[in-house]
Amino acid sequence: MSIIRAGIVGIAALTIGAAATAPAQAEPLGDFYKGKRITILVGYGAGGTYGRTSLLLGKHLGRVIPGNPTIVVQHMPGAGGIKAANYAYNAMPAQGYNFLMPPEMSIVSELLRPKKVKFKTKDFTWLGRVFGQNTTVVVRRDTGVKTLEDAMKKQVIVASSGKGSPTFLIPTLLNALVGTKFKIVTGYKGSRKMQHSMEQDETRGVALGWTAWISAKPEWFRDGNMSFAIPLVQSGFKRQAGIKHVRMIREVLTKKEDIQIAEMLASASMLGRGLVLPPKAPERLVAPLRAAFAAITKDKAFIKDAYKRGLEVDPIDGAEIQRRVNEILAMSQATVKKARALIFPPRKKK
């Protein structure tokens, strides 16, 4: 069993424990946050799952932080969330009044695109996540491609927002490790534009988080054999509810190093939609803020509001995320170099 998959065990117990100790840990924060404002920085626009989750937390999280601070959301889109993460790491005030909702691809970006990244993922202090989602490759049914094996024999044009996105990384990894024949077309702005390109038959598939599929296009997957689209494979650590019949990428691989590369990309499903403190934030804030985050993800009003917004609630405690981030980043440099060469091969000299 890999160290990453082993880390899944005990998440629920850790989260419940953090929530149970919230009152004792959180009491000193009352004066610190009373009458103050917390800003959540998001590296994406307002309409997607990052924007909706940040607004959800902005509405509810202040209720469980002692002192009941006001929480506002600020957007800084750019470079797949990297622009905001770079800012948070290097320039965000660290007194405890500023949080970041980091991109789910933080670990992947740090390891595979080091020239673009100006942060160290392990140096952020993770407070917790609301939910994670497995990136799922979906194709139109009329492609004739019904299985991953079919995609090894027939080319499928898939949409992508850019090279830092799972919409590019996942199909590229599958092409390199499994032998699929996905042809990737980049430049689409956002999941809705990519889904629309499938509807218009400009492209024939795309790799998106499963929440993006079921919140925007649930009708595509109804009616069994008469459905519009088919999920082929998913990236994560465990099969996602609703598509448990669909294989994980790591389940179709045999080499240990290849499985580690797949798990590196699967880290996106673990990080999901959550919050971090920037480096050098006061250490005394960490335990009570983690406890508050764990408490709100069990709050009935919060959960009800999440589902109204088309979001899930599947939390992981901040301390557990921190531990697993460190484990993934301890991957050997040889494996990282192989992943980089497979996904971003050097250009051939003319």
Side-chain angles (χ1 to χ4, degrees), residues 18 21-30 33 61 64-66 127 282-295:
T21 58
Q25 294 173 326
E27 189 60 36
L29 292 192
Y33 280 118
L61 185 58
V64 294
I65 296 177
L127 301 182
E283 190 174 342
R284 71 183 184 88
L285 301 180
V286 176
L289 286 176
R290 282 177 172 170
F293 194 103

Side-chain angles (χ1 to χ4, degrees), residues 118-148:
K118 308 299 180 186
F119 61 82
K120 298 291 184 184
T121 312
K122 66 181 179 63
D123 291 343
F124 289 118
T125 299
W126 296 80
L127 301 182
R129 77 159 200 198
V130 177
F131 72 93
Q133 54 178 341
N134 288 355
T135 298
T136 307
V137 180
V138 167
V139 299
R140 286 173 56 124
R141 179 173 289 276
D142 61 9
T143 59
V145 173
K146 297 182 179 180
T147 66
L148 198 60

Side-chain angles (χ1 to χ4, degrees), residues 105 133-137 166 170 173-174 207-210 233-240 243 246-250 261-270:
M105 300 300 286
Q133 54 178 341
N134 288 355
T135 298
T136 307
V137 180
I170 297 299
L173 182 75
L174 289 167
L208 292 173
W210 186 242
V233 69
Q234 53 182 313
S235 172
F237 295 111
K238 60 181 181 179
R239 296 191 184 194
Q240 183 139 5
I243 48 171
V246 178
R247 289 176 294 175
M248 312 292 298
I249 292 176
R250 59 177 174 76
I261 293 172
E263 290 184 336
M264 179 207 302
L265 267 66
S267 66
S269 70
M270 183 265 293

Side-chain angles (χ1 to χ4, degrees), residues 185-205:
V185 179
T186 60
Y188 289 93
K189 304 297 183 183
S191 60
R192 299 297 173 92
K193 294 288 181 68
M194 287 182 271
Q195 290 167 334
H196 185 65
S197 77
M198 283 181 64
E199 286 181 310
Q200 299 300 307
D201 208 15
E202 295 174 1
T203 62
R204 314 224 77 199

